[in-house]
């Protein structure tokens, strides 16, 4: 494990803290960046665990397809991750230390150091140690249902996170140099069908070609499971800045990310959506679709927050 970005956090237990687990550099920008920016603005501690270095990633942005970039893509992606984390407001970025697994049945997926082939118990132990050191109240990870994009690393992120949630609190489970810590809440980050529908309609209303083609609508909807919807309209600049920081992975001319005018994008489903998977505080709310729901991942936690003037 390696601390890529570091800052002192108050470990007194009075500061709300959120830790997210992501697979590759750029995932932190595309999934829940607005939530983290909002948390930081309220004075919460923010920690990212990135499980791989993104070694198997391609160069998506044509402007970055240059020999000097290709030759050091791994280092470039780490630099992009630092810039993205800064844009979002992450105070710490931990690299879990594994190699990008690539997609199934590829050469990268056969690499002995890839995340998908790492000893499962070893990967869990690394994450448990970070949870115990950072002591987050909330952990956000990937969902149990990933049929829409079954990347081996994303599947592994989910698998180790749900086990680490339990193990981190178990005093009989050893993790060198760190006392047990019970995370209060575990969330799954999801892309809602409602968000996609709203954005698709916005493109059509403006007479623009929608990037949401048939393959998007074949992805199973999980809207019936969503329990938590966080307003991020005031923090979209941070999310967009983080995406643009990943210059090799995000084409600035991408209609998917930047095709809508900023004012329209701000008003079109300006939320991050989550499933509250586990909680140690109170009852899990009914899904939003059933008349329940919550608007804050820190809901139910007795932890004060002080706005950060520098966030």
């Amino acid at each position: 494990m390696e601390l890529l970005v570091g800052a002192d956090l108050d470990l007194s237990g009075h500061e709300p803290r959120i830790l997210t687990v992501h697979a590759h550099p750029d995932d932190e920008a595309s999934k829940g960046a607005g939530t983290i920016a909002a948390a930081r603005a309220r004075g919460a501690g923010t920690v990212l665990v990135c499980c791989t270095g993104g070694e198997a990633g391609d160069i998506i942005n044509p402007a970055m397809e240059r020999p000097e970039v290709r030759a050091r893509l791994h280092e470039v992606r780490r630099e992009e991750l630092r810039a993205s984390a800064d844009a979002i407001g992450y105070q710490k970025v931990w690299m879990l230390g594994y190699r990008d697994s690539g997609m199934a049945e590829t050469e990268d997926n056969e690499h002995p150091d890839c995340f998908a082939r790492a000893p499962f118990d070893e990967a869990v132990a690394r994450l448990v140690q970070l949870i115990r050191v950072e002591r987050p109240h909330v952990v956000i990870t990937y969902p149990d249902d990933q049929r829409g994009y079954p990347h081996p690393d994303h599947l592994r992120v989910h698998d180790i996170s749900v086990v680490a949630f339990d193990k981190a609190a178990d005093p009989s489970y050893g993790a060198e140099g760190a006392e047990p810590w019970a995370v209060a809440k575990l969330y799954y980050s999801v892309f809602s069908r409602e968000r996609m529908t709203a954005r698709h309609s916005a493109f059509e209303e403006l007479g623009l070609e929608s990037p949401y083609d048939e393959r998007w609508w074949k992805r199973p909807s999980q809207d019936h499971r969503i329990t938590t919807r966080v307003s991020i309209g005031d923090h979209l600049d941070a999310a967009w800045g983080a995406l643009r920081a990943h210059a090799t992975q995000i084409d600035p001319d991408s209609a998917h990310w930047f095709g809508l005018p900023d004012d329209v994008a701000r008003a079109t489903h300006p939320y991050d959506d989550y499933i509250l998977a586990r909680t140690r505080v109170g009852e899990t709310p009914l899904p939003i679709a059933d008349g329940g729901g919550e608007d804050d991942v820190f809901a139910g936690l007795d932890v004060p927050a002080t706005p950060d003037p520098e966030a």
Side-chain angles (χ1 to χ4, degrees), residues 194-203 212 255-257 260 265 268:
E194 183 175 332
R195 176 182 182 272
M196 185 169 68
T197 300
R199 287 179 59 82
H200 177 73
S201 297
F203 277 102
Y212 297 101
H256 175 76
W257 297 115
L260 291 174
T268 304

Side-chain angles (χ1 to χ4, degrees), residues 110-130:
E110 299 296 325
H111 196 288
D113 296 331
C114 79
F115 185 34
R117 295 188 177 276
F120 183 78
D121 290 345
E122 173 193 273
V124 168
R126 292 185 185 186
L127 183 55
V128 166
Q129 185 172 10
L130 291 179

Side-chain angles (χ1 to χ4, degrees), residues 101-178:
S101 305
M103 296 302 289
E105 300 182 359
T106 64
E107 183 177 344
D108 287 304
N109 198 246
E110 299 296 325
H111 196 288
D113 296 331
C114 79
F115 185 34
R117 295 188 177 276
F120 183 78
D121 290 345
E122 173 193 273
V124 168
R126 292 185 185 186
L127 183 55
V128 166
Q129 185 172 10
L130 291 179
I131 289 173
R132 289 181 171 183
V133 166
E134 299 298 348
R135 292 166 43 177
H137 300 86
V138 171
V139 168
I140 297 178
T141 189
Y142 298 164
D144 48 351
D145 185 345
Q146 299 187 57
R147 287 174 291 169
Y149 184 62
H151 192 295
D153 289 334
H154 290 224
L155 298 174
R156 180 55 65 96
V157 164
H158 166 79
D159 292 345
I160 69 167
S161 297
V162 295
V163 175
F165 178 87
D166 289 326
K167 297 293 187 185
D170 182 357
S172 69
Y173 182 85
E176 185 177 351

Side-chain angles (χ1 to χ4, degrees), residues 28 47 51 86 99 107 123 132 169 171 225 233 268 272 275 293 311:
E28 84 293 335
V47 180
C51 295
D86 184 63
R99 191 182 191 280
E107 183 177 344
R132 289 181 171 183
R225 302 177 63 197
T268 304
D272 284 336
I275 298 167

Side-chain angles (χ1 to χ4, degrees), residues 221-267:
S221 172
Q222 298 194 57
D223 286 22
H224 62 288
R225 302 177 63 197
I226 292 172
T227 60
T228 311
R229 180 158 287 163
V230 178
S231 177
I232 60 167
D234 293 338
H235 302 281
L236 283 172
D237 283 340
W240 294 336
L243 287 168
R244 290 188 172 97
H246 287 284
T248 62
Q249 306 301 303
I250 305 295
D251 186 343
D253 295 325
S254 165
H256 175 76
W257 297 115
F258 306 116
L260 291 174
D262 286 358
D263 60 333
V264 176
R266 290 183 198 282

